[in-house]
Amino acid sequence: MGTSTDIPALRRGLAVLQLMATRAGPVSASTIARELDIPRSTTYHLLAELEQARFVTRLPAERRYGLGIAAFELGSAYLRHDPLERVAGPLLRELAGRVGHNAHLGVLHGSELLYLIKERPARPETLVTDVGVRLPAQLTASGRAILAHLPAAHVRALFPSAAAFVRRTDRGPTSLAALRTILAVERRRGWASEDGHVTAGFASVAYPAFDHDHRPIAAISVTLRHHCEQIPCAADWSGLAAQVRSTADDLTRRIGGRVSWRSE
């Protein structure tokens, strides 16, 4: 049996894996130590243990570390069990039928938004979003709904330079400062939206689902046909946002999470 002193080491080891999972490629030990604010000697010890357990792979030529095969196997097991999708599926089907628009469940994958579920209403509309599709998180309502509740340092790490701000249309933030401004507005408002940032002629409204520590783990969104010449769009989607938020809060409760005080 482990002792109570093993718990901090376990938490730090998991923090290392979580940090590595947000990066597009291998990272150095110094970066991990700096980002997690832990001693470099401790960082090397954690990496050695994770390497031995095959959760981390050391790349000597690059002096960096990447996720190992055990991390991949764990992720594959999640996809097989898909608890989030199993719980969210019926909720999204009900939401899509109620509002008459496509409903999605998405999760953050690095600086991208990965769509796990897409539910269509009786008369579906053709969209670029589909299960398995990844889109720049800063352009999607779902991505920004999650980003708005992440620490500023985390957002900065995901978008370190102008090159990270990919655009699909002529709309969307092109800098970290612009993204932070949008996130601040959407965080105060309580829900995220985009109009033509992903596909011209379509808009989306999204709200996050939270875990037991009130950390955003996914987002539910609804996408509809819409085009607004004004930037930012002046359309009132508060009614639709309330429907999306209700579904997201229901998902949060069903997975044992803690809903926002705004919804309680």
Side-chain angles (χ1 to χ4, degrees), residues 26-185:
V27 295
S28 65
S30 59
T31 296
I32 295 172
R34 182 178 65 254
E35 293 287 339
L36 298 180
D37 192 26
I38 57 179
R40 183 172 295 192
S41 59
T42 301
T43 301
Y44 279 110
H45 177 72
L46 290 171
L47 288 170
E49 291 293 328
L50 290 170
E51 182 183 4
Q52 184 174 357
R54 302 189 305 151
F55 279 96
V56 163
T57 297
R58 185 165 59 95
L59 307 171
E62 301 179 33
R63 295 183 179 180
R64 293 173 182 266
Y65 294 82
L67 291 174
I69 187 64
F72 172 78
E73 291 170 346
L74 194 61
S76 298
Y78 168 79
L79 292 176
R80 290 194 299 270
H81 291 281
D82 59 9
L84 190 60
E85 292 97 320
R86 288 176 184 268
V87 175
L91 298 177
L92 262 69
R93 283 192 291 275
E94 195 276 333
L95 175 63
R98 188 170 69 245
V99 301
H101 302 298
N102 291 283
H104 306 87
L105 176 73
V107 295
L108 202 63
H109 192 275
S111 61
E112 296 179 315
L113 195 284
L114 171 64
Y115 290 95
L116 299 180
I117 299 179
K118 177 180 179 180
E119 292 294 342
R120 300 173 174 85
R123 296 183 178 180
E125 298 168 322
T126 302
L127 301 172
V128 68
T129 52
D130 208 342
V131 176
V133 169
R134 298 181 185 183
L135 292 172
Q138 80 279 6
L139 298 181
T140 66
S142 292
R144 293 210 300 265
I146 297 172
L147 292 171
H149 293 274
L150 293 179
H154 192 158
V155 176
R156 184 175 63 249
L158 293 175
F159 302 95
S161 66
F165 290 87
V166 180
R167 301 183 88 186
R168 291 178 56 89
T169 67
D170 61 349
R171 300 186 179 188
T174 58
S175 67
L176 182 59
L179 175 61
R180 282 175 169 168
T181 298
I182 295 174
L183 295 180
V185 170

Side-chain angles (χ1 to χ4, degrees), residues 169-207:
T169 67
D170 61 349
R171 300 186 179 188
T174 58
S175 67
L176 182 59
L179 175 61
R180 282 175 169 168
T181 298
I182 295 174
L183 295 180
V185 170
E186 295 181 335
R187 185 164 50 247
R188 288 193 299 269
R189 186 175 62 189
W191 46 273
S193 65
E194 62 85 15
D195 173 42
H197 292 186
V198 175
T199 304
F202 285 91
S204 298
V205 174
Y207 192 83

